Every structure is written in C-alpha cells, then in structure tokens.
Amino acid sequence: GQPLSLLLKLDPQVKQLSLFDVVRTPGVASDISHCCTNAKVTGHVGTEQIGDALTGSQVVVIPAGVPRKPGMTRDDLFNTNAGIVKGLAEACGKYCPDAMFLIISNPVNSTVPIFAETLKKIGVYNSRKVFGVTTLDVVRAKTFVAENQGLDVLTTEVPVIGGHAGTTILPLLSQVKGAKFTEADIAALTHRIQFGGDEVVKAKDGAGSATLSMAFAGQVFTSRLLSAMNGAKGVIECSFVENNLTAAPYFSTPVLLGPNGVEEVLPFGDLSAFEKTALDAMLPDLIAQAKKGVEFVK
C-alpha cells in the first residue's frame, strides 16, 4: 500500500489521494504529502473514519490484506483477506457506490467475486466498474519476454488471460509480435510468469512478497483507467472482470476502458495448441475459486 500510494501521488492525473488503513495512515499521508506534486493527500485511520476516506471517491484501489509468506499459496490468504475485502466492499457500497473498484487483494480469483457479491447484496453492483488487477502478470510477461527475445521492453506487448494465481495465469506468447520462441522457451517463460510471485517470496527469504512490482503494476492500471475516464481513446488493458467468454464467471481478458469503466470486453483471439490445453485445464479451478468467493458472502 505505501509504495502504491507514493506512485499514485506522483501521477499527474490524481488530484486527491485519500489513504485508509486500520493503523498508521496519518504518518504515511503526512510523509507522502510533502512530495511536490499536485495531488492533495489525506490520511484516515480506523473503521470509524472509512466514510471520510471513501466519500466522493471516483476510483478506489484496494491492496488491503496480508502478503504471502514462504510456502503460502494465494488461496492460503483467503481466510484472512476474504473478510477484509468483504468489509471494504460494504463500506464502498455505502459511501461511494458509483466509483471504479480496483481489487489487488489476493486471492484475486476469489476476492473479486466477494466484492461483486457484496455490492449485489447492497443493490449497487455494476459489472463495468469492478476490476481484478492482473497487471502484474502482464508486467512480468513483458519483462521476461523482452529479456528472452532481446526486445525493447517498453514496446513489447504480451496479453495475459485467465486468472491471477499459478496455472490460471496464461500468457499468450503465440501473439507476441516479432518473437521466435522454442518449445522450451514457451514452457519456461509460461512457468516463470505464472510463478513469478514465488520467485520474489523466496528471494525475500520470509521478509515479504512482491510488493514493489505489484505497486508499480497497480499504478500502471490505475493510470490507464484514469486516462480512459478522462477521454483517452483506445485504452486496452487486461483485467479480471465478469464476462461470458468462457465457462468461468470471471476471466481476465483484454478490455476496452472508458468513462464508464469497461466499455467492451474483448475476445482474446486465437490460441496455440499449448495455450488451448492450458486454458481447458485452468477453467475448473477458476470456476471453483469464484464459487468459493460467492459462497463466502452468502
């Protein structure tokens, strides 16, 4: 949350940055507020101040919850983070029901359904405005593919579809322009993109998870959405949203963003045989993880 807050303070599109947490937020807000950018910063601490934090918000970015530790899967986080996300969804539904909601809290494959179902119960759910932020998978894919192929990372595009955990993450390497992958490259890159988070958890040796690259990815998606809300045309990003492209109720795919949030859910295009096999294998997991989120709210 702190590095993401700093990056959003630096974004010229952000005019007001409202920070909320259950502890220490005023100190973080004071620190960030000294950065000489246009965004005005307020800090709100504790559940009694959440209304002040959310009222008037147009975009709410939610990285709340506990990070992964060595040996933990994203699903292990469910028991802690599910309740946190549900509580925040209830507050958002009450204080800023028309905002865009960007869910980073893991496990995204379940927390997005939790958030959506909670808003449905309140009667304010809009499928165009609830996003699971899977941008870190795209960021990793661009980085690893550019390194592997000797491409310019700033112009490398790699669509990543599916979900946001392990084998539900599917980079569409067959669609990378100008790339020539061996079968070994495809297998190794796909695995590294899927389990890049584990790489960081292991490297940090128990001291945290991929918080800095996640903050970067969160800011990238938020900034792209703000551009689209401000009238930019042709803004397309992958995001985990409700759609009927597959048998899974939520699926990450390229979406056209605009002033209303999701303007159009786009098809993910032709897949290689390797990618088709991976897609078929992931769908039961995606369906089960969404169901787990829905049942938590019921």
Side-chain angles (χ1 to χ4, degrees):
Q2 290 191 33
L4 176 57
S5 299
L6 176 60
L7 291 172
L8 290 173
K9 172 72 168 104
L10 302 181
D11 191 320
Q13 297 180 102
V14 177
K15 301 294 183 278
Q16 172 74 39
L17 184 63
S18 173
L19 306 181
F20 172 81
D21 205 340
V22 291
V23 290
R24 294 191 289 275
T25 335
V28 175
S30 175
D31 195 357
I32 288 177
S33 74
H34 293 184
C35 299
C36 54
T37 63
N38 287 330
K40 303 301 179 195
V41 182
T42 57
H44 310 271
V45 64
T47 51
E48 65 278 1
Q49 293 185 17
I50 196 167
D52 295 334
L54 291 172
T55 299
S57 296
Q58 293 173 291
V59 177
V60 179
V61 186
I62 301 177
V66 296
R68 283 199 297 158
K69 295 181 174 63
M72 289 178 75
T73 66
R74 287 184 179 87
D75 207 47
D76 290 333
L77 301 177
F78 182 92
N79 293 333
T80 300
N81 290 358
I84 293 171
V85 169
K86 181 173 179 283
L88 290 171
E90 289 168 346
C92 289
K94 180 177 181 181
Y95 294 109
C96 56
D98 296 323
M100 308 283 183
F101 302 112
L102 281 52
I103 317 301
I104 293 172
S105 307
N106 275 318
V108 166
N109 295 356
S110 298
T111 55
V112 170
I114 286 170
F115 202 93
E117 289 300 312
T118 304
L119 293 183
K120 286 176 189 176
K121 271 195 166 183
I122 302 170
V124 296
Y125 175 64
N126 182 344
S127 63
R128 291 179 164 211
K129 294 187 174 186
V130 176
F131 303 87
V133 179
T134 57
T135 312
L136 181 52
D137 304 323
V138 177
V139 164
R140 285 184 175 132
K142 289 180 178 183
T143 301
F144 302 159
V145 165
E147 286 175 355
N148 175 271
Q149 293 288 304
L151 300 172
D152 180 356
V153 71
L154 298 180
T155 57
T156 300
E157 295 295 336
V158 188
V160 182
I161 65 170
H164 183 57
T167 54
T168 68
I169 298 166
L170 180 56
L172 301 185
L173 301 180
S174 67
Q175 296 184 17
V176 179
K177 292 177 181 173
K180 293 180 180 176
F181 299 110
T182 65
E183 287 188 15
D185 285 336
I186 291 169
L189 282 167
T190 298
H191 186 272
R192 191 178 179 204
I193 293 161
Q194 290 174 333
F195 296 98
D198 293 357
E199 190 178 308
V200 177
V201 169
K202 183 179 179 183
K204 287 193 173 183
D205 195 22
S209 60
T211 48
L212 299 174
S213 49
M214 184 63 248
F216 171 80
Q219 188 273 332
V220 166
F221 185 81
T222 304
S223 186
R224 292 282 283 164
L225 176 59
L226 289 171
S227 294
M229 291 169 66
N230 289 329
K233 303 298 183 188
V235 179
I236 296 172
E237 292 291 328
C238 292
S239 185
F240 188 71
V241 297
E242 186 176 12
N243 60 68
N244 56 11
L245 290 181
T246 68
Y250 297 86
F251 191 85
S252 190
T253 188
V255 295
L256 177 65
L257 302 173
N260 300 307
V262 177
E263 298 294 341
E264 186 180 356
V265 174
L266 302 174
F268 45 77
D270 296 331
L271 306 183
S272 67
F274 176 90
E275 290 159 359
K276 285 177 183 173
T277 299
L279 174 60
D280 290 343
M282 82 161 75
L283 285 176
D285 289 335
L286 272 184
I287 293 166
Q289 289 160 12
K291 184 180 178 185
K292 186 174 181 179
V294 170
E295 290 178 347
F296 178 81
V297 177
K298 285 181 178 177

